[in-house]
Amino acid sequence: MEVATTVAEVRARVRDWRAAGLRVALVPTMGNLHAGHLSLLAAARFRADRVVASVFVNPLQFGPAEDFAAYPRTLDEDRELLGEAHCELLFAPTVEQVYPDGGAQATLITVRGLSSILCGQFRPGHFDGVATVVAKLFNIVAPDVAVFGEKDFQQFSIIRRMTCDLQLLVEIVGAPTVRAPDGLALSSRNRYLSAQERAIAPAIHHALQAAVARLDAGDRNFPGLESAGWQSLALAGLRPDYFAVRDADDLQPPHAATREMVVLTAARLGKARLIDNLRVPLVRP
Ligand code: PAF
């Protein structure tokens, strides 16, 4: 596997591939790779001839009181895992490569409506940072297809909408959430959990499953479902930010045109803020 640390290097390599008629996939990550990321790489490999993974802890998407400094950086292990996963190119730029003006960059991408709700209410500016860096990565790498995890469902929705609104020439693919055997969604932030907290954390998946079971049974009392989910998390010892039933396309409360619902939650546990979701199709193929 090749490693590129500059924008010029990655652009040159991808330009050669595309000139040879090869289809290129990008898997953007912040590193500290686990089985969830490997499933994104597998999805990318399935859809392209060449796979690029980026590892970049993006300062623009962390709030001042968030874990930017503490975020796990494990580039040597990541490089190893990516090589084993037959990724062709690792793009691991410095902050200066992505933000040559330092903090002075004047342009931000805001996906209005989607960015300010749910997690956006609790992490102001977070999704502007995500949308901006993903747009930059698309411009730098110029992939045909990019793969994102559906665990971060709001992020996935925002990137899909940005790509459509800006008419970017990249196909956006979502890959299903990978879970531990007890249901906890894999996340780099799980490593912040103590053993006791780790034992509590599957309550998130259980609360989502309980809501999905009620929705599948025809229950449409959304406020009732949301407060039951919120309470079950609080009872298990988590501090929920929200527990919400939404339309899976626009993340608004379910409406007459809703074809699929999604139950989303974010909850704090010790030092970690964990997010997860489950989808509920209404129109079955
Ligand atoms: O999901 C992530 O790891 C990040 O938000 C992303 C998409 C790589 C942008 O920094």
Side-chain angles (χ1 to χ4, degrees), residues 81-225:
L81 277 173
L82 290 169
E84 284 165 18
H86 305 294
C87 171
E88 276 85 13
L89 177 61
L90 161 60
F91 178 44
T94 57
V95 173
E96 291 69 33
Q97 282 289 314
V98 180
Y99 299 106
D101 288 343
Q105 169 162 324
T107 304
L108 272 185
I109 295 184
T110 300
V111 180
R112 290 182 297 175
L114 284 178
S115 287
S116 53
I117 58 175
L118 302 168
C119 281
Q121 270 188 293
F122 297 89
R123 304 186 68 188
H126 167 67
F127 288 118
D128 292 353
V130 170
T132 303
V133 82
V134 170
K136 273 175 173 275
L137 289 168
F138 286 175
N139 278 328
I140 293 167
V141 178
D144 298 286
V145 54
V147 183
F148 295 87
E150 290 175 353
K151 180 183 81 71
D152 301 318
F153 192 75
Q154 187 174 5
Q155 167 174 287
F156 174 68
S157 306
I158 286 168
I159 290 165
R160 198 172 47 182
R161 184 65 198 255
M162 171 188 81
T163 304
C164 175
D165 285 355
L166 298 182
Q167 294 166 287
L168 302 179
L169 265 177
V170 52
E171 180 194 349
I172 305 299
V173 170
T177 303
V178 178
R179 300 181 181 282
D182 61 9
L184 179 65
L186 298 193
S187 161
S188 302
R189 290 188 165 103
N190 293 351
R191 66 152 59 190
Y192 298 151
L193 300 172
S194 68
Q196 199 192 352
E197 289 159 356
R198 175 63 188 79
I200 292 173
I204 297 175
H205 187 230
H206 299 153
L208 292 170
Q209 282 179 311
V212 169
R214 283 176 62 173
L215 289 165
D216 273 339
D219 191 339
R220 293 295 179 265
N221 174 8
F222 302 126
L225 282 162

